[in-house]
Amino acid sequence: MSDPVARPVFFEGQILGALDLQDTVEYSRGRDARHSRYLHTWGIATGLELSQKEKEVDVNGTPVKYQEIWLSPGMAIDGRGREIIVSEARRLSEALFDELNVAVQEKPGEEHLYPVLLMGRDRSAPPSTFTISDCANPEPTRQLEDYEITFRGPGEDLGLENQTPPDVSAGADTSNGQPWLILLGYVKWNNTITKFKGFENKSGSTGRRYAGVLADEVAARGGRLLLRTRIKNQSDKPALVLDETDGGELKFGLFNAEGTLVPVLTVKANGDIITPGMVQSKASSGTVYVQSGIASDGVVLPLPAGVKPEDVTGKGTLHVQVSMRLEDLAPPASPAGDWAPVPIECSVDADRRVRCQVRWVQIAAAPNFVDRPGVCNYVLLVGIPATGG
Amino acid sequence: MTDKMTLIVVKKTGHVLGVVTRESDPEGKLEPKDVAGEKLLVRFAGSAFSAAQFFVPSDELAVEVKDFDPVVVTRPREFYLNADKQVTGTTGTTTITPQSNTQIRVAVAAVAAKTPAWIQVLSKNDPTDTQVRQGEIDVGQKQVDLDVLPLSSGDVYHVFALVGGRDQIVQDVTAP
């Protein structure tokens, strides 16, 4: 059970100790941490991107290329609500990677990805040189909210979503000594020259995690609410807009080069849905769907748009009409002569597969015929019964 | 009437094995399984129709939507999609010769570019005994020998062969 949050109060004539002042600071820190923890989701807030610079190292007289991996400045919020600030670009340390001994043997053609992780770490500033008496021991008067970068073995990033959050009233400090890890990306390692080969932002479906917002209600002040996938309006990126135009409308689309949303779907307040694209939906009850066209021998007749095979095998009723298509038929090229087409098969089996063949009979010749795969015209109707009907 | 047609083609060689048109949503996306099922029935023409009927697995197939052409719709198996995905008439013959009970030679006139070859082998005695094999005829070569699972010596097999740009062919061979 966690302790209640204590807010320092003071009275006239109170003698203030260091702890009183410390509690004042901690109260604000804890409140900020709880806000970040419960009104936001943890992750990268800005920056903290990996980049690489190609370099070369001499190995027994042979130049071998490698990559220096750099981390850009930025900020993250960890799962305890602690801000982690990287104030300047920093090169990832090959020596640290080597020292951590996370590299695994790679078979030919294999390339492992090693998670790069960021964690907040407090560090005491150098002690103050000024004291009230020469006898007092100088102690630090500042705590630096620093960070560390570390590496893990391949696949050891999978448990990051399951890190244990602190008690509800706790502040941002790592009381149990376990740092909260934030994934920045992955590096590739050359074990021969003990240098990085490159980096990736994702490994399969796992990748950098960005901070988010926890909210059950999001409200705009200007009558227009915009949801987009990038920090700025970016060309060819999608967005969703809810605004009060014409009594209210919902628009989904892509931004154009001018940063204007070009809607591909608009829902009006009067219920109209406008789209230049196609609306596909699950087959609805009480509806007859139609498809028609031409199909050659052996083909399975396609179902109408929106109808799935399970709709037909379930409650739906399938009606099919096929007839031999005689237009544009070409007789056998040889032997030369007059040929007459005779339909000998034109049907659809239980799998909706067309069976269509035509027999070409040579006229004014000894009995001679050639069978050819045929083509049929088809009409296919799928009736989906009304619910309860 | 729609001005589009959907061709069912062999991925390896581009040969058209079937065609379908749709008045509703003529250009909508289809998967090979939508028009072939698990396997596409291909009955080969001849005076003994159905004597050789092949079921080409749908994972060997692709579908392509093209502008409607009444000739292609009527005689789809006389066409293929060339390297630029243009519908083109097939021409030229292919011969099939078993080299051993584990190898079948597919031969055409010498080719000017690397040319794909695809065969389906079907036992005349056992319709479930079927296998698909593929390879390439190298530039300047006339043939490619395709390895097959062992054929039963003395048995007759239907071989459905497709070589890039050449006419479709079915030939019966007796396993050595």
Side-chain angles (χ1 to χ4, degrees), chain A residues 291-300 328 330 345 353 356-357 371 375 378, chain B residues 8 18-24 35-36 39-41 43 46 49 70 73-75:
Chain A
Q291 184 59 280
S292 64
I294 302 166
S296 63
D297 181 56
V299 165
V300 172
D328 305 310
E345 185 183 22
R353 193 181 296 281
C356 181
Q357 54 179 314
D371 290 342
V375 177
Y378 72 90
Chain B
I8 306 162
V19 64
V20 65
T21 71
R22 293 170 290 160
E23 293 300 318
S24 164
V35 283
K39 295 173 181 178
L40 178 70
L41 170 64
R43 300 195 285 186
F49 197 87
V73 164
T74 311
R75 291 176 280 155

PDB file of all heavy atoms in Angstrom, chain A residues 291-300 328 330 345 353 356-357 371 375 378, chain B residues 8 18-24 35-36 39-41 43 46 49 70 73-75:
ATOM      1  N   GLN A 291     -23.855 -10.192 -60.351  1.00  0.00           N
ATOM      2  CA  GLN A 291     -22.638 -10.084 -61.134  1.00  0.00           C
ATOM      3  C   GLN A 291     -22.923 -10.736 -62.488  1.00  0.00           C
ATOM      4  O   GLN A 291     -23.690 -11.712 -62.565  1.00  0.00           O
ATOM      5  CB  GLN A 291     -21.473 -10.798 -60.427  1.00  0.00           C
ATOM      6  CG  GLN A 291     -20.128 -10.680 -61.107  1.00  0.00           C
ATOM      7  CD  GLN A 291     -19.676  -9.237 -61.268  1.00  0.00           C
ATOM      8  OE1 GLN A 291     -20.121  -8.534 -62.192  1.00  0.00           O
ATOM      9  NE2 GLN A 291     -18.811  -8.783 -60.368  1.00  0.00           N
ATOM     10  N   SER A 292     -22.344 -10.214 -63.524  1.00  0.00           N
ATOM     11  CA  SER A 292     -22.532 -10.816 -64.842  1.00  0.00           C
ATOM     12  C   SER A 292     -21.304 -10.532 -65.684  1.00  0.00           C
ATOM     13  O   SER A 292     -20.496  -9.666 -65.338  1.00  0.00           O
ATOM     14  CB  SER A 292     -23.787 -10.259 -65.519  1.00  0.00           C
ATOM     15  OG  SER A 292     -23.630  -8.874 -65.772  1.00  0.00           O
ATOM     16  N   GLY A 293     -21.193 -11.259 -66.786  1.00  0.00           N
ATOM     17  CA  GLY A 293     -20.043 -11.045 -67.657  1.00  0.00           C
ATOM     18  C   GLY A 293     -19.780 -12.263 -68.506  1.00  0.00           C
ATOM     19  O   GLY A 293     -20.713 -13.000 -68.874  1.00  0.00           O
ATOM     20  N   ILE A 294     -18.508 -12.472 -68.773  1.00  0.00           N
ATOM     21  CA  ILE A 294     -18.070 -13.568 -69.640  1.00  0.00           C
ATOM     22  C   ILE A 294     -17.047 -14.383 -68.853  1.00  0.00           C
ATOM     23  O   ILE A 294     -16.239 -13.811 -68.120  1.00  0.00           O
ATOM     24  CB  ILE A 294     -17.405 -13.005 -70.918  1.00  0.00           C
ATOM     25  CG1 ILE A 294     -18.379 -12.081 -71.665  1.00  0.00           C
ATOM     26  CG2 ILE A 294     -16.908 -14.121 -71.819  1.00  0.00           C
ATOM     27  CD1 ILE A 294     -17.708 -11.235 -72.739  1.00  0.00           C
ATOM     28  N   ALA A 295     -17.084 -15.708 -69.022  1.00  0.00           N
ATOM     29  CA  ALA A 295     -16.098 -16.547 -68.327  1.00  0.00           C
ATOM     30  C   ALA A 295     -15.717 -17.712 -69.222  1.00  0.00           C
ATOM     31  O   ALA A 295     -16.558 -18.244 -69.956  1.00  0.00           O
ATOM     32  CB  ALA A 295     -16.659 -17.058 -67.003  1.00  0.00           C
ATOM     33  N   SER A 296     -14.465 -18.093 -69.148  1.00  0.00           N
ATOM     34  CA  SER A 296     -13.996 -19.199 -69.990  1.00  0.00           C
ATOM     35  C   SER A 296     -14.047 -20.514 -69.222  1.00  0.00           C
ATOM     36  O   SER A 296     -14.172 -20.542 -67.990  1.00  0.00           O
ATOM     37  CB  SER A 296     -12.570 -18.909 -70.476  1.00  0.00           C
ATOM     38  OG  SER A 296     -11.688 -18.824 -69.387  1.00  0.00           O
ATOM     39  N   ASP A 297     -13.922 -21.584 -69.944  1.00  0.00           N
ATOM     40  CA  ASP A 297     -13.970 -22.931 -69.377  1.00  0.00           C
ATOM     41  C   ASP A 297     -12.938 -23.080 -68.252  1.00  0.00           C
ATOM     42  O   ASP A 297     -11.784 -22.653 -68.379  1.00  0.00           O
ATOM     43  CB  ASP A 297     -13.652 -23.956 -70.474  1.00  0.00           C
ATOM     44  CG  ASP A 297     -13.716 -25.380 -69.967  1.00  0.00           C
ATOM     45  OD1 ASP A 297     -14.766 -25.772 -69.436  1.00  0.00           O
ATOM     46  OD2 ASP A 297     -12.692 -26.093 -70.098  1.00  0.00           O
ATOM     47  N   GLY A 298     -13.376 -23.653 -67.138  1.00  0.00           N
ATOM     48  CA  GLY A 298     -12.469 -23.935 -66.027  1.00  0.00           C
ATOM     49  C   GLY A 298     -12.434 -22.871 -64.961  1.00  0.00           C
ATOM     50  O   GLY A 298     -11.960 -23.110 -63.849  1.00  0.00           O
ATOM     51  N   VAL A 299     -12.943 -21.671 -65.269  1.00  0.00           N
ATOM     52  CA  VAL A 299     -12.877 -20.552 -64.319  1.00  0.00           C
ATOM     53  C   VAL A 299     -13.988 -20.681 -63.280  1.00  0.00           C
ATOM     54  O   VAL A 299     -15.086 -21.149 -63.581  1.00  0.00           O
ATOM     55  CB  VAL A 299     -13.019 -19.222 -65.101  1.00  0.00           C
ATOM     56  CG1 VAL A 299     -13.332 -18.063 -64.183  1.00  0.00           C
ATOM     57  CG2 VAL A 299     -11.758 -18.962 -65.905  1.00  0.00           C
ATOM     58  N   VAL A 300     -13.677 -20.261 -62.064  1.00  0.00           N
ATOM     59  CA  VAL A 300     -14.698 -20.172 -61.014  1.00  0.00           C
ATOM     60  C   VAL A 300     -15.344 -18.792 -61.122  1.00  0.00           C
ATOM     61  O   VAL A 300     -14.641 -17.771 -61.110  1.00  0.00           O
ATOM     62  CB  VAL A 300     -14.063 -20.360 -59.624  1.00  0.00           C
ATOM     63  CG1 VAL A 300     -15.070 -20.081 -58.523  1.00  0.00           C
ATOM     64  CG2 VAL A 300     -13.516 -21.778 -59.487  1.00  0.00           C
ATOM     65  N   ASP A 328     -17.690 -13.995 -81.980  1.00  0.00           N
ATOM     66  CA  ASP A 328     -16.229 -13.950 -82.178  1.00  0.00           C
ATOM     67  C   ASP A 328     -15.558 -15.318 -82.139  1.00  0.00           C
ATOM     68  O   ASP A 328     -14.341 -15.412 -81.978  1.00  0.00           O
ATOM     69  CB  ASP A 328     -15.567 -13.039 -81.131  1.00  0.00           C
ATOM     70  CG  ASP A 328     -16.166 -11.653 -81.130  1.00  0.00           C
ATOM     71  OD1 ASP A 328     -16.279 -11.065 -82.209  1.00  0.00           O
ATOM     72  OD2 ASP A 328     -16.539 -11.176 -80.037  1.00  0.00           O
ATOM     73  N   ALA A 330     -13.759 -18.520 -83.415  1.00  0.00           N
ATOM     74  CA  ALA A 330     -12.911 -18.763 -84.585  1.00  0.00           C
ATOM     75  C   ALA A 330     -12.795 -20.267 -84.788  1.00  0.00           C
ATOM     76  O   ALA A 330     -12.491 -20.993 -83.839  1.00  0.00           O
ATOM     77  CB  ALA A 330     -11.542 -18.151 -84.368  1.00  0.00           C
ATOM     78  N   GLU A 345     -21.339 -28.618 -74.076  1.00  0.00           N
ATOM     79  CA  GLU A 345     -21.377 -28.522 -72.624  1.00  0.00           C
ATOM     80  C   GLU A 345     -21.359 -27.046 -72.242  1.00  0.00           C
ATOM     81  O   GLU A 345     -20.544 -26.274 -72.754  1.00  0.00           O
ATOM     82  CB  GLU A 345     -20.165 -29.220 -71.990  1.00  0.00           C
ATOM     83  CG  GLU A 345     -20.210 -29.268 -70.481  1.00  0.00           C
ATOM     84  CD  GLU A 345     -18.963 -29.910 -69.881  1.00  0.00           C
ATOM     85  OE1 GLU A 345     -17.927 -29.931 -70.558  1.00  0.00           O
ATOM     86  OE2 GLU A 345     -19.033 -30.372 -68.728  1.00  0.00           O
ATOM     87  N   ARG A 353     -17.688 -23.480 -60.841  1.00  0.00           N
ATOM     88  CA  ARG A 353     -16.693 -23.614 -61.899  1.00  0.00           C
ATOM     89  C   ARG A 353     -17.404 -23.840 -63.233  1.00  0.00           C
ATOM     90  O   ARG A 353     -18.280 -24.697 -63.352  1.00  0.00           O
ATOM     91  CB  ARG A 353     -15.766 -24.792 -61.610  1.00  0.00           C
ATOM     92  CG  ARG A 353     -14.526 -24.827 -62.488  1.00  0.00           C
ATOM     93  CD  ARG A 353     -13.650 -26.021 -62.172  1.00  0.00           C
ATOM     94  NE  ARG A 353     -13.105 -26.005 -60.822  1.00  0.00           N
ATOM     95  CZ  ARG A 353     -12.058 -25.275 -60.444  1.00  0.00           C
ATOM     96  NH1 ARG A 353     -11.453 -24.486 -61.305  1.00  0.00           N
ATOM     97  NH2 ARG A 353     -11.619 -25.330 -59.206  1.00  0.00           N
ATOM     98  N   CYS A 356     -17.502 -25.515 -70.043  1.00  0.00           N
ATOM     99  CA  CYS A 356     -18.043 -25.029 -71.302  1.00  0.00           C
ATOM    100  C   CYS A 356     -17.154 -25.516 -72.439  1.00  0.00           C
ATOM    101  O   CYS A 356     -15.944 -25.265 -72.431  1.00  0.00           O
ATOM    102  CB  CYS A 356     -18.083 -23.504 -71.264  1.00  0.00           C
ATOM    103  SG  CYS A 356     -18.744 -22.765 -72.742  1.00  0.00           S
ATOM    104  N   GLN A 357     -17.724 -26.255 -73.367  1.00  0.00           N
ATOM    105  CA  GLN A 357     -16.937 -26.695 -74.504  1.00  0.00           C
ATOM    106  C   GLN A 357     -17.782 -26.666 -75.767  1.00  0.00           C
ATOM    107  O   GLN A 357     -18.999 -26.820 -75.734  1.00  0.00           O
ATOM    108  CB  GLN A 357     -16.349 -28.089 -74.273  1.00  0.00           C
ATOM    109  CG  GLN A 357     -17.369 -29.137 -73.898  1.00  0.00           C
ATOM    110  CD  GLN A 357     -16.730 -30.498 -73.701  1.00  0.00           C
ATOM    111  OE1 GLN A 357     -15.925 -30.910 -74.515  1.00  0.00           O
ATOM    112  NE2 GLN A 357     -17.090 -31.192 -72.636  1.00  0.00           N
ATOM    113  N   ASP A 371     -12.876 -30.648 -80.548  1.00  0.00           N
ATOM    114  CA  ASP A 371     -13.482 -30.018 -79.365  1.00  0.00           C
ATOM    115  C   ASP A 371     -12.540 -28.952 -78.819  1.00  0.00           C
ATOM    116  O   ASP A 371     -11.327 -29.147 -78.768  1.00  0.00           O
ATOM    117  CB  ASP A 371     -13.763 -31.067 -78.287  1.00  0.00           C
ATOM    118  CG  ASP A 371     -14.889 -31.995 -78.707  1.00  0.00           C
ATOM    119  OD1 ASP A 371     -15.646 -31.614 -79.622  1.00  0.00           O
ATOM    120  OD2 ASP A 371     -14.996 -33.097 -78.138  1.00  0.00           O
ATOM    121  N   VAL A 375     -16.425 -20.427 -74.178  1.00  0.00           N
ATOM    122  CA  VAL A 375     -16.602 -19.237 -73.347  1.00  0.00           C
ATOM    123  C   VAL A 375     -18.099 -19.011 -73.191  1.00  0.00           C
ATOM    124  O   VAL A 375     -18.851 -19.195 -74.160  1.00  0.00           O
ATOM    125  CB  VAL A 375     -15.944 -18.015 -74.014  1.00  0.00           C
ATOM    126  CG1 VAL A 375     -16.174 -16.753 -73.199  1.00  0.00           C
ATOM    127  CG2 VAL A 375     -14.453 -18.250 -74.209  1.00  0.00           C
ATOM    128  N   TYR A 378     -22.508 -15.187 -68.463  1.00  0.00           N
ATOM    129  CA  TYR A 378     -23.100 -15.633 -67.205  1.00  0.00           C
ATOM    130  C   TYR A 378     -23.819 -14.491 -66.509  1.00  0.00           C
ATOM    131  O   TYR A 378     -23.483 -13.309 -66.692  1.00  0.00           O
ATOM    132  CB  TYR A 378     -22.027 -16.223 -66.272  1.00  0.00           C
ATOM    133  CG  TYR A 378     -21.091 -15.197 -65.672  1.00  0.00           C
ATOM    134  CD1 TYR A 378     -21.380 -14.578 -64.460  1.00  0.00           C
ATOM    135  CD2 TYR A 378     -19.909 -14.838 -66.318  1.00  0.00           C
ATOM    136  CE1 TYR A 378     -20.528 -13.637 -63.908  1.00  0.00           C
ATOM    137  CE2 TYR A 378     -19.056 -13.896 -65.769  1.00  0.00           C
ATOM    138  CZ  TYR A 378     -19.371 -13.302 -64.566  1.00  0.00           C
ATOM    139  OH  TYR A 378     -18.525 -12.353 -64.028  1.00  0.00           O
TER     140      TYR A 378
ATOM    141  N   ILE B   8      -6.416 -14.729 -66.195  1.00  0.00           N
ATOM    142  CA  ILE B   8      -5.790 -15.615 -65.211  1.00  0.00           C
ATOM    143  C   ILE B   8      -4.541 -16.171 -65.880  1.00  0.00           C
ATOM    144  O   ILE B   8      -4.640 -16.870 -66.900  1.00  0.00           O
ATOM    145  CB  ILE B   8      -6.753 -16.748 -64.807  1.00  0.00           C
ATOM    146  CG1 ILE B   8      -8.079 -16.150 -64.335  1.00  0.00           C
ATOM    147  CG2 ILE B   8      -6.135 -17.625 -63.734  1.00  0.00           C
ATOM    148  CD1 ILE B   8      -9.215 -17.135 -64.337  1.00  0.00           C
ATOM    149  N   GLY B  18      -7.182 -18.558 -68.501  1.00  0.00           N
ATOM    150  CA  GLY B  18      -8.620 -18.332 -68.412  1.00  0.00           C
ATOM    151  C   GLY B  18      -8.908 -16.847 -68.417  1.00  0.00           C
ATOM    152  O   GLY B  18      -8.005 -16.010 -68.258  1.00  0.00           O
ATOM    153  N   VAL B  19     -10.177 -16.521 -68.627  1.00  0.00           N
ATOM    154  CA  VAL B  19     -10.570 -15.118 -68.666  1.00  0.00           C
ATOM    155  C   VAL B  19     -11.954 -14.975 -68.057  1.00  0.00           C
ATOM    156  O   VAL B  19     -12.779 -15.892 -68.135  1.00  0.00           O
ATOM    157  CB  VAL B  19     -10.542 -14.588 -70.126  1.00  0.00           C
ATOM    158  CG1 VAL B  19     -11.559 -15.303 -70.983  1.00  0.00           C
ATOM    159  CG2 VAL B  19     -10.800 -13.083 -70.171  1.00  0.00           C
ATOM    160  N   VAL B  20     -12.164 -13.839 -67.429  1.00  0.00           N
ATOM    161  CA  VAL B  20     -13.487 -13.548 -66.892  1.00  0.00           C
ATOM    162  C   VAL B  20     -13.694 -12.041 -66.983  1.00  0.00           C
ATOM    163  O   VAL B  20     -12.738 -11.265 -66.866  1.00  0.00           O
ATOM    164  CB  VAL B  20     -13.612 -14.067 -65.429  1.00  0.00           C
ATOM    165  CG1 VAL B  20     -12.684 -13.341 -64.491  1.00  0.00           C
ATOM    166  CG2 VAL B  20     -15.034 -13.993 -64.933  1.00  0.00           C
ATOM    167  N   THR B  21     -14.912 -11.639 -67.254  1.00  0.00           N
ATOM    168  CA  THR B  21     -15.230 -10.212 -67.191  1.00  0.00           C
ATOM    169  C   THR B  21     -16.307 -10.026 -66.148  1.00  0.00           C
ATOM    170  O   THR B  21     -17.047 -10.950 -65.813  1.00  0.00           O
ATOM    171  CB  THR B  21     -15.731  -9.661 -68.542  1.00  0.00           C
ATOM    172  OG1 THR B  21     -17.035 -10.172 -68.796  1.00  0.00           O
ATOM    173  CG2 THR B  21     -14.797 -10.029 -69.676  1.00  0.00           C
ATOM    174  N   ARG B  22     -16.380  -8.819 -65.626  1.00  0.00           N
ATOM    175  CA  ARG B  22     -17.371  -8.510 -64.591  1.00  0.00           C
ATOM    176  C   ARG B  22     -18.011  -7.171 -64.909  1.00  0.00           C
ATOM    177  O   ARG B  22     -17.315  -6.164 -65.027  1.00  0.00           O
ATOM    178  CB  ARG B  22     -16.681  -8.434 -63.215  1.00  0.00           C
ATOM    179  CG  ARG B  22     -16.152  -9.763 -62.736  1.00  0.00           C
ATOM    180  CD  ARG B  22     -15.279  -9.578 -61.515  1.00  0.00           C
ATOM    181  NE  ARG B  22     -14.024  -8.923 -61.854  1.00  0.00           N
ATOM    182  CZ  ARG B  22     -13.254  -8.300 -60.975  1.00  0.00           C
ATOM    183  NH1 ARG B  22     -13.614  -8.212 -59.718  1.00  0.00           N
ATOM    184  NH2 ARG B  22     -12.119  -7.742 -61.349  1.00  0.00           N
ATOM    185  N   GLU B  23     -19.324  -7.188 -65.072  1.00  0.00           N
ATOM    186  CA  GLU B  23     -20.023  -5.934 -65.338  1.00  0.00           C
ATOM    187  C   GLU B  23     -20.012  -5.047 -64.100  1.00  0.00           C
ATOM    188  O   GLU B  23     -19.936  -3.829 -64.205  1.00  0.00           O
ATOM    189  CB  GLU B  23     -21.473  -6.219 -65.756  1.00  0.00           C
ATOM    190  CG  GLU B  23     -21.594  -6.914 -67.095  1.00  0.00           C
ATOM    191  CD  GLU B  23     -20.979  -6.089 -68.221  1.00  0.00           C
ATOM    192  OE1 GLU B  23     -21.164  -4.862 -68.248  1.00  0.00           O
ATOM    193  OE2 GLU B  23     -20.276  -6.687 -69.068  1.00  0.00           O
ATOM    194  N   SER B  24     -20.098  -5.679 -62.951  1.00  0.00           N
ATOM    195  CA  SER B  24     -20.066  -4.919 -61.704  1.00  0.00           C
ATOM    196  C   SER B  24     -18.641  -4.934 -61.176  1.00  0.00           C
ATOM    197  O   SER B  24     -18.027  -6.000 -61.057  1.00  0.00           O
ATOM    198  CB  SER B  24     -21.020  -5.577 -60.700  1.00  0.00           C
ATOM    199  OG  SER B  24     -20.762  -5.122 -59.412  1.00  0.00           O
ATOM    200  N   VAL B  35     -11.105 -16.750 -58.656  1.00  0.00           N
ATOM    201  CA  VAL B  35     -11.551 -17.176 -59.979  1.00  0.00           C
ATOM    202  C   VAL B  35     -11.001 -18.550 -60.374  1.00  0.00           C
ATOM    203  O   VAL B  35     -11.356 -19.069 -61.443  1.00  0.00           O
ATOM    204  CB  VAL B  35     -11.162 -16.139 -61.060  1.00  0.00           C
ATOM    205  CG1 VAL B  35     -12.093 -14.951 -61.008  1.00  0.00           C
ATOM    206  CG2 VAL B  35      -9.732 -15.693 -60.905  1.00  0.00           C
ATOM    207  N   ALA B  36     -10.165 -19.110 -59.519  1.00  0.00           N
ATOM    208  CA  ALA B  36      -9.603 -20.426 -59.829  1.00  0.00           C
ATOM    209  C   ALA B  36      -9.962 -21.460 -58.766  1.00  0.00           C
ATOM    210  O   ALA B  36      -9.812 -22.655 -58.994  1.00  0.00           O
ATOM    211  CB  ALA B  36      -8.081 -20.331 -59.943  1.00  0.00           C
ATOM    212  N   LYS B  39      -7.529 -24.689 -57.229  1.00  0.00           N
ATOM    213  CA  LYS B  39      -6.811 -25.054 -58.454  1.00  0.00           C
ATOM    214  C   LYS B  39      -7.677 -24.673 -59.643  1.00  0.00           C
ATOM    215  O   LYS B  39      -8.906 -24.798 -59.586  1.00  0.00           O
ATOM    216  CB  LYS B  39      -6.530 -26.560 -58.486  1.00  0.00           C
ATOM    217  CG  LYS B  39      -5.586 -27.022 -57.391  1.00  0.00           C
ATOM    218  CD  LYS B  39      -5.479 -28.530 -57.354  1.00  0.00           C
ATOM    219  CE  LYS B  39      -4.535 -28.957 -56.228  1.00  0.00           C
ATOM    220  NZ  LYS B  39      -4.434 -30.409 -56.125  1.00  0.00           N
ATOM    221  N   LEU B  40      -7.032 -24.228 -60.711  1.00  0.00           N
ATOM    222  CA  LEU B  40      -7.774 -23.868 -61.921  1.00  0.00           C
ATOM    223  C   LEU B  40      -7.855 -25.079 -62.846  1.00  0.00           C
ATOM    224  O   LEU B  40      -6.828 -25.694 -63.159  1.00  0.00           O
ATOM    225  CB  LEU B  40      -7.065 -22.715 -62.644  1.00  0.00           C
ATOM    226  CG  LEU B  40      -7.725 -22.275 -63.945  1.00  0.00           C
ATOM    227  CD1 LEU B  40      -9.056 -21.574 -63.670  1.00  0.00           C
ATOM    228  CD2 LEU B  40      -6.813 -21.360 -64.743  1.00  0.00           C
ATOM    229  N   LEU B  41      -9.067 -25.363 -63.274  1.00  0.00           N
ATOM    230  CA  LEU B  41      -9.253 -26.463 -64.229  1.00  0.00           C
ATOM    231  C   LEU B  41      -8.827 -25.991 -65.620  1.00  0.00           C
ATOM    232  O   LEU B  41      -9.307 -24.973 -66.114  1.00  0.00           O
ATOM    233  CB  LEU B  41     -10.733 -26.872 -64.248  1.00  0.00           C
ATOM    234  CG  LEU B  41     -11.146 -27.846 -65.350  1.00  0.00           C
ATOM    235  CD1 LEU B  41     -10.445 -29.191 -65.200  1.00  0.00           C
ATOM    236  CD2 LEU B  41     -12.657 -28.023 -65.358  1.00  0.00           C
ATOM    237  N   ARG B  43      -8.676 -27.652 -69.277  1.00  0.00           N
ATOM    238  CA  ARG B  43      -8.923 -28.827 -70.126  1.00  0.00           C
ATOM    239  C   ARG B  43      -8.296 -28.539 -71.478  1.00  0.00           C
ATOM    240  O   ARG B  43      -8.519 -27.482 -72.055  1.00  0.00           O
ATOM    241  CB  ARG B  43     -10.417 -29.081 -70.249  1.00  0.00           C
ATOM    242  CG  ARG B  43     -11.049 -29.345 -68.891  1.00  0.00           C
ATOM    243  CD  ARG B  43     -12.408 -29.950 -69.003  1.00  0.00           C
ATOM    244  NE  ARG B  43     -13.412 -29.001 -69.406  1.00  0.00           N
ATOM    245  CZ  ARG B  43     -14.715 -29.292 -69.462  1.00  0.00           C
ATOM    246  NH1 ARG B  43     -15.128 -30.508 -69.142  1.00  0.00           N
ATOM    247  NH2 ARG B  43     -15.586 -28.393 -69.836  1.00  0.00           N
ATOM    248  N   GLY B  46      -8.745 -30.699 -78.187  1.00  0.00           N
ATOM    249  CA  GLY B  46      -8.337 -31.792 -79.054  1.00  0.00           C
ATOM    250  C   GLY B  46      -9.557 -32.582 -79.430  1.00  0.00           C
ATOM    251  O   GLY B  46     -10.673 -32.254 -79.043  1.00  0.00           O
ATOM    252  N   PHE B  49     -11.428 -34.444 -76.138  1.00  0.00           N
ATOM    253  CA  PHE B  49     -11.549 -33.448 -75.100  1.00  0.00           C
ATOM    254  C   PHE B  49     -11.625 -34.098 -73.733  1.00  0.00           C
ATOM    255  O   PHE B  49     -12.226 -35.139 -73.572  1.00  0.00           O
ATOM    256  CB  PHE B  49     -12.807 -32.611 -75.356  1.00  0.00           C
ATOM    257  CG  PHE B  49     -12.820 -31.328 -74.606  1.00  0.00           C
ATOM    258  CD1 PHE B  49     -12.226 -30.205 -75.140  1.00  0.00           C
ATOM    259  CD2 PHE B  49     -13.410 -31.254 -73.355  1.00  0.00           C
ATOM    260  CE1 PHE B  49     -12.243 -29.020 -74.441  1.00  0.00           C
ATOM    261  CE2 PHE B  49     -13.412 -30.070 -72.657  1.00  0.00           C
ATOM    262  CZ  PHE B  49     -12.832 -28.947 -73.201  1.00  0.00           C
ATOM    263  N   PRO B  70     -12.120  -8.786 -77.692  1.00  0.00           N
ATOM    264  CA  PRO B  70     -13.004  -9.933 -77.967  1.00  0.00           C
ATOM    265  C   PRO B  70     -12.253 -11.172 -78.435  1.00  0.00           C
ATOM    266  O   PRO B  70     -12.694 -12.298 -78.179  1.00  0.00           O
ATOM    267  CB  PRO B  70     -13.946  -9.392 -79.056  1.00  0.00           C
ATOM    268  CG  PRO B  70     -13.278  -8.190 -79.616  1.00  0.00           C
ATOM    269  CD  PRO B  70     -12.435  -7.617 -78.531  1.00  0.00           C
ATOM    270  N   VAL B  73     -10.778 -12.785 -75.301  1.00  0.00           N
ATOM    271  CA  VAL B  73     -11.848 -13.383 -74.497  1.00  0.00           C
ATOM    272  C   VAL B  73     -12.305 -14.705 -75.102  1.00  0.00           C
ATOM    273  O   VAL B  73     -12.593 -15.670 -74.386  1.00  0.00           O
ATOM    274  CB  VAL B  73     -13.027 -12.381 -74.388  1.00  0.00           C
ATOM    275  CG1 VAL B  73     -14.288 -13.085 -73.923  1.00  0.00           C
ATOM    276  CG2 VAL B  73     -12.664 -11.262 -73.423  1.00  0.00           C
ATOM    277  N   THR B  74     -12.344 -14.768 -76.414  1.00  0.00           N
ATOM    278  CA  THR B  74     -12.836 -15.974 -77.073  1.00  0.00           C
ATOM    279  C   THR B  74     -11.782 -17.084 -77.090  1.00  0.00           C
ATOM    280  O   THR B  74     -12.111 -18.256 -76.957  1.00  0.00           O
ATOM    281  CB  THR B  74     -13.232 -15.642 -78.529  1.00  0.00           C
ATOM    282  OG1 THR B  74     -14.053 -14.492 -78.508  1.00  0.00           O
ATOM    283  CG2 THR B  74     -13.994 -16.794 -79.149  1.00  0.00           C
ATOM    284  N   ARG B  75     -10.528 -16.689 -77.237  1.00  0.00           N
ATOM    285  CA  ARG B  75      -9.476 -17.708 -77.328  1.00  0.00           C
ATOM    286  C   ARG B  75      -8.318 -17.353 -76.387  1.00  0.00           C
ATOM    287  O   ARG B  75      -7.194 -17.083 -76.812  1.00  0.00           O
ATOM    288  CB  ARG B  75      -8.963 -17.789 -78.775  1.00  0.00           C
ATOM    289  CG  ARG B  75      -9.983 -18.368 -79.715  1.00  0.00           C
ATOM    290  CD  ARG B  75      -9.475 -18.326 -81.134  1.00  0.00           C
ATOM    291  NE  ARG B  75      -9.632 -17.010 -81.727  1.00  0.00           N
ATOM    292  CZ  ARG B  75      -8.890 -16.533 -82.721  1.00  0.00           C
ATOM    293  NH1 ARG B  75      -7.909 -17.250 -83.214  1.00  0.00           N
ATOM    294  NH2 ARG B  75      -9.110 -15.343 -83.214  1.00  0.00           N
TER     295      ARG B  75
END
